[in-house]
Amino acid sequence: MGFLRKVFLLSFTTFIVYLGIKIHSSLQLPPLPNFDNEYWGRGKPTKDDIAVRPFKINVPDQVLEVLQQKLNQPRSLTPPLEGIQQQYGMNTNLLKEIIEFWKTKYNWREREKFLNQYPQFQTTIQGLNIHFLHIKPTKSSGKDVVPLLMLHGWPGSIREFYEVIPLLTAPQADRDFVFEIIVPSLPGYGFSEAASKPGLATPQMAAVFKKLMERLGFKKFYIQGGDWGAIIASHFATLYPESLLGLHSNMCTAQTPMSFLKTIIGSIYPSFVVEDRFKDKMYPLSNVFSYLLLESGYFHLQATKPDTVGVALGDSPVGLAAYILEKFTTGTNPDWKNREDGGLKLKYTYTNLLDNVMIYWITGSITTSMRLYAEELSKTNRELQLGNYPIVVPSACARFPYEIIYQPDCIWKDRYTVLVQTSEFPTGGHFAAFEEPKVFSEDVWSAVQKFRDLLKKK
């Protein structure tokens, strides 16, 4: 019976592979779209003011006074269940500690100076005021200065990159190049204006950022992204490959028909897809689906009713902090939900985490940030099928062990056809730049070195 079972499984697997090849080869992809002329501002389209305007964060005192009033309002937070840490969401005992720190030790005016340490600007693109950091290298004598566009996600912000920036803009003795970094706030996030019309998803954001880089004088550059930033970067590579010298991502994903088939086959023969030491990250699929179901409730809510939940989060700084910081527990390490402290001080400080929360609060951008989920899952956006196009730009994928989704090289290569570097790290999760700035930045240096070496061979 054992022999017959193996023969059946082998025959079945062969058939599935054959079927997958046939489906993949016959897949008719729609023409690549063009979003260069979309207008996302209020009212009728007007001509963009192409000026690049200096910008500094300067929050009115009244905004801070209202925040303090809300933090000081008497409230009774529901006590956690006995024996429960973060399994039901943010533990209110931990939340009380964070709120007390926020009220008594967190100094926004000091943090405002910290956030303003890097040059910031705004410019109008497709009807929206887009905010960005633009940092040139500390020294560049004898080095090639290479532009790098870095993109954040949700519930992150430009704050995620502040520890990485000095590590990338300071020259390394053994490298003949150094980075010039551009870090925009995504439209609807922080200090970038939100769309007034529906439809602004990640492909359309790629078009916005292409215009940003062109306006700054960069025809070719490197791109890096995590979370939504990773999705935008992959779409950028699909829509505008001629603009990119290389792509680095700490959340590479391949969801092509072939990658799906490989995943299914691996559920029968894991070694066909993934090394034995990593197979528990992908299989059994029931465990993966259970985990995603447990941790993706917010995704469904934001993809369907972002404005409803946005009312509550936009009115309560305590609720906003709970909603955002809970993601920094499970997103950094899912086991941290079993800790009383949520593990937050193992990688972060309350000050750094509250910087990120404050960017959402002072700009009132939580609702508009969450709308990206609804736009991304819209029927119109799904019909573009951009995830099925091969990425021909040289790519590097960093694999942090606690990232939400694990995929091996053999699946990544179905989409990233010129995969020049993949990296495995012993620690780190979804917010890699924020968690592990030194490891993260060195991986970017290494990837761009390989991109440059590859270009020299051509």
Side-chain angles (χ1 to χ4, degrees):
M1 289 297 291
F3 174 75
L4 291 176
R5 181 174 180 274
K6 289 180 180 179
V7 170
F8 169 76
L9 289 175
L10 180 60
S11 300
F12 176 74
T13 302
T14 303
F15 171 73
I16 290 294
V17 172
Y18 170 77
L19 183 63
I21 293 172
K22 294 291 287 183
I23 292 173
H24 189 67
S25 62
S26 63
L27 184 65
Q28 295 295 316
L29 293 172
L32 286 173
N34 186 315
F35 301 115
D36 293 350
N37 298 316
E38 299 286 345
Y39 182 81
W40 304 108
R42 293 183 179 276
K44 295 181 179 180
T46 59
K47 188 176 181 180
D48 287 339
D49 176 3
I50 64 172
V52 176
R53 306 176 295 276
F55 177 88
K56 276 194 177 295
I57 303 170
N58 185 15
V59 179
D61 289 338
Q62 185 181 2
V63 173
L64 301 179
E65 291 167 4
V66 170
L67 170 63
Q68 198 67 27
Q69 290 171 8
K70 287 180 175 289
L71 291 176
N72 284 318
Q73 285 173 356
R75 60 174 47 81
S76 178
L77 296 176
T78 304
L81 294 168
E82 294 178 4
I84 290 298
Q85 293 81 43
Q86 316 296 324
Q87 296 90 339
Y88 279 60
M90 172 64 77
N91 185 300
T92 50
N93 290 335
L94 172 60
L95 182 59
K96 287 177 183 177
E97 180 181 313
I98 294 172
I99 298 308
E100 185 62 24
F101 180 91
W102 200 354
K103 290 192 298 184
T104 61
K105 297 182 179 179
Y106 183 84
N107 185 323
W108 169 252
R109 290 307 181 195
E110 289 182 359
R111 302 313 295 167
E112 197 173 57
K113 292 178 183 178
F114 172 84
L115 293 172
N116 280 327
Q117 70 179 289
Y118 298 125
Q120 300 175 62
F121 304 88
Q122 280 187 333
T123 190
T124 306
I125 301 175
Q126 295 181 243
L128 301 179
N129 285 323
I130 300 299
H131 165 262
F132 60 98
L133 308 178
H134 187 177
I135 307 97
K136 296 184 179 181
T138 53
K139 295 179 181 178
S140 60
S141 179
K143 307 281 186 179
D144 291 338
V145 177
V146 300
L148 174 64
L149 175 65
M150 304 187 76
L151 303 173
H152 68 82
W154 187 95
S157 65
I158 57 169
R159 178 62 186 88
E160 294 179 69
F161 297 116
Y162 268 65
E163 283 72 27
V164 167
I165 288 169
L167 300 177
L168 293 175
T169 54
Q172 291 191 344
D174 59 341
R175 312 273 190 196
D176 63 354
F177 64 96
V178 66
F179 293 102
E180 179 173 350
I181 296 177
I182 299 88
V183 185
S185 298
L186 303 189
Y189 287 67
F191 306 100
S192 280
E193 188 178 0
S196 293
K197 298 169 174 60
L200 181 55
T202 53
Q204 294 81 4
M205 287 187 182
V208 170
F209 293 137
K210 178 176 183 289
K211 288 192 175 185
L212 171 63
M213 295 301 281
E214 288 176 343
R215 189 165 298 176
L216 296 177
F218 301 118
K219 293 182 179 180
K220 289 182 177 292
F221 47 91
Y222 301 94
I223 194 168
Q224 197 289 322
D227 193 76
W228 283 129
I231 307 299
I232 297 168
S234 67
H235 292 334
F236 200 121
T238 300
L239 295 169
Y240 311 111
E242 70 285 350
S243 297
L244 294 184
L245 296 166
L247 178 157
H248 180 280
S249 175
N250 53 291
M251 200 186 80
C252 289
T253 55
Q255 297 175 331
T256 66
M258 184 57 70
S259 63
F260 175 75
L261 282 167
K262 285 181 179 178
T263 302
I264 297 300
I265 292 169
S267 66
I268 303 171
Y269 294 119
S271 59
F272 177 78
V273 173
V274 65
E275 295 179 45
D276 286 343
R277 62 194 176 111
F278 295 125
K279 68 180 181 181
D280 62 333
K281 291 183 177 295
M282 288 189 70
Y283 303 107
L285 290 176
S286 59
N287 288 353
V288 176
F289 293 148
S290 294
Y291 172 72
L292 291 177
L293 185 64
L294 176 67
E295 298 296 339
S296 63
Y298 79 98
F299 194 107
H300 182 78
L301 185 62
Q302 293 172 197
T304 54
K305 307 294 181 183
D307 286 26
T308 301
V309 69
V311 172
L313 299 178
D315 187 60
S316 170
V318 174
L320 180 67
Y323 197 74
I324 288 178
L325 296 182
E326 182 256 320
K327 297 294 177 285
F328 281 88
T329 288
T330 55
T332 305
N333 186 332
D335 289 339
W336 287 1
K337 66 178 178 290
N338 301 315
R339 295 177 60 103
E340 296 286 348
D341 62 0
L344 294 177
K345 288 185 176 180
L346 297 178
K347 289 285 185 75
Y348 314 103
T349 66
Y350 286 167
T351 295
N352 291 349
L353 290 171
L354 287 171
D355 286 346
N356 182 63
V357 173
M358 282 291 287
I359 288 175
Y360 282 91
W361 179 258
I362 63 177
T363 60
S365 60
I366 187 61
T367 298
T368 54
S369 73
M370 295 189 298
R371 284 178 183 165
L372 179 51
Y373 289 77
E375 304 297 0
E376 192 70 9
L377 268 68
S378 69
K379 183 174 183 292
T380 300
N381 192 55
R382 285 185 283 110
E383 287 177 346
L384 297 176
Q385 300 183 46
L386 292 186
N388 288 333
Y389 284 86
I391 292 175
V392 299
V393 172
S395 302
C397 296
R399 190 183 288 112
F400 288 86
Y402 301 120
E403 184 52 85
I404 298 169
I405 297 176
Y406 181 93
Q407 290 184 319
D409 290 9
C410 74
I411 287 181
W412 279 345
K413 289 177 181 178
D414 293 330
R415 189 179 186 200
Y416 303 86
T417 60
V418 189
L419 192 58
V420 303
Q421 173 176 294
T422 61
S423 309
E424 296 275 358
F425 298 104
T427 184
H430 190 61
F431 306 98
F434 207 12
E435 299 172 45
E436 301 285 348
K438 291 183 179 179
V439 172
F440 174 91
S441 60
E442 188 52 46
D443 200 64
V444 173
W445 279 103
S446 174
V448 172
Q449 183 68 68
K450 289 183 174 66
F451 296 152
R452 287 167 61 83
D453 292 344
L454 181 64
L455 184 63
K456 290 175 183 177
K457 293 178 182 178
K458 291 184 177 180

